[in-house]
């Protein structure tokens, strides 16, 4: 399932905050990782032959959910990518932007490494317009929102996986050795993007 809205999730109430010490340990699976695929100009170029790659997402703000096969073999499915772009739209302005499809491979690879290929990813935040990003940055003195956020480039998503500790999710994301990984232990989410390889931890109340 998938929900889409970029707000300070911690403000939604105590039910959002999972107590990680109560969660069972998760063992990392050393699954093979997807290489970047190809996005064809039209649907006709997509073959039915090949391994199908699926994402199940739930957005923690909009209440929306999506279960979609976004790639077959090494070819992304244009219609499915368009659905994901809409699903991850800026909830404040309703604007959407074409995501870098490698970001969806990151989500798939994370779930494969967790040994949960059929699992659901909770979306804390997807795309942000420059206006929304600036709005979040200026809400307080230290929000954890970057001025040149990869969210604005449609190359980043903040996530949780139900039943998985935030620290474990961070470690799995780091094991991919791809893009940026931000660890937000207090707000209990992990930022994953396909920008430059880097890592950071934000100890305050992160804004999606």
């Amino acid at each position: 399932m998938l929900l889409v809205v970029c707000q300070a999730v911690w403000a939604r109430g105590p039910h959002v905050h999972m107590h990680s010490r109560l969660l069972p340990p998760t063992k990392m699976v050393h699954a093979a990782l997807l290489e970047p695929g190809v996005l064809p100009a039209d649907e006709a170029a997509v073959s039915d032959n090949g391994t199908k790659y699926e994402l199940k997402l739930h957005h923690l703000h909009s209440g929306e959910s999506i279960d979609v096969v976004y790639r077959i073999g090494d070819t992304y499915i244009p219609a499915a990518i368009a659905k994901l772009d809409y699903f991850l739209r800026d909830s404040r302005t309703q604007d959407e932007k074409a995501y870098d499809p490698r970001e969806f491979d990151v989500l798939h690879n994370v779930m494969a490494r967790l040994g949960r290929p059929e699992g659901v990813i909770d979306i804390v935040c997807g795309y942000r317009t420059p206006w929304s990003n600036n709005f979040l940055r200026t809400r307080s003195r230290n929000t954890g929102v970057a001025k040149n956020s990869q969210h604005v480039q449609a190359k980043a998503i903040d996530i949780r996986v139900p039943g998985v500790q935030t620290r474990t999710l961070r470690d799995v994301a780091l094991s991919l050795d791809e893009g940026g990984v931000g660890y937000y232990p207090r707000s209990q989410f992990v930022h994953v993007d396909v920008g430059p390889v880097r890592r950071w931890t934000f100890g305050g109340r992160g804004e999606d």
Side-chain angles (χ1 to χ4, degrees):
M1 297 183 176
L2 187 62
L3 299 177
V4 182
V5 173
C6 299
Q7 297 176 345
V9 172
W10 53 269
R12 292 176 60 84
H15 66 283
V16 172
H17 300 292
M18 300 178 292
H19 298 287
S20 60
R21 66 179 182 277
L22 300 179
L23 298 175
T26 300
K27 183 177 180 180
M28 189 185 304
V29 176
H30 293 289
L33 302 180
L34 283 178
E35 296 293 332
V38 177
L39 183 61
D42 59 67
E43 211 76 22
V46 180
S47 171
D48 288 335
N49 298 320
T51 303
K52 294 178 172 60
Y53 299 99
E54 180 181 16
L55 287 175
K56 297 179 181 180
L57 309 175
H58 174 73
H59 204 292
L60 293 174
H61 294 286
S62 69
E64 297 173 355
S65 299
I66 190 169
D67 182 345
V68 61
V69 173
Y70 75 97
R71 171 175 171 167
I72 299 177
D74 64 354
T75 306
Y76 301 113
I77 303 172
I81 298 298
K83 289 179 181 179
L84 288 165
D85 291 340
Y86 177 76
F87 177 81
L88 294 165
R89 68 195 181 278
D90 185 315
S91 60
R92 293 184 178 83
T93 68
Q94 300 304 304
D95 290 313
E96 58 182 287
K97 185 170 183 174
Y99 255 82
D100 186 325
R102 295 177 301 159
E103 181 70 5
F104 306 133
D105 291 335
V106 168
L107 299 185
H108 176 276
N109 288 336
V110 164
M111 297 305 282
R113 283 279 169 99
L114 285 171
R116 300 182 179 216
E118 300 298 320
V120 175
I121 301 172
D122 283 344
I123 304 299
V124 178
C125 187
Y127 171 62
R128 291 201 292 257
T129 61
W131 180 89
S132 287
N133 198 68
N134 186 63
F135 171 77
L136 290 173
R137 287 189 70 248
T138 56
R139 291 182 69 180
S140 62
R141 182 172 298 181
N142 190 14
T143 63
V145 176
K147 181 178 181 179
N148 299 311
S149 173
Q150 293 290 319
H151 286 278
V152 176
Q153 304 301 321
K155 292 185 176 183
I157 302 175
D158 298 337
I159 64 174
R160 297 176 181 149
V161 175
V164 176
Q165 294 182 1
T166 311
R167 184 188 308 174
T168 300
L169 184 57
R170 173 204 62 187
D171 291 345
V172 168
L174 287 172
S175 78
L176 305 181
D177 193 29
E178 180 177 358
V181 176
Y183 176 45
Y184 293 74
R186 292 192 64 190
S187 296
Q188 297 192 7
F189 68 79
V190 174
H191 165 111
V192 290
D193 69 49
V194 290
V197 175
R198 64 212 189 285
R199 61 183 295 179
W200 67 93
T201 296
F202 181 74
R205 292 291 194 183
E207 303 277 4
D208 34 69

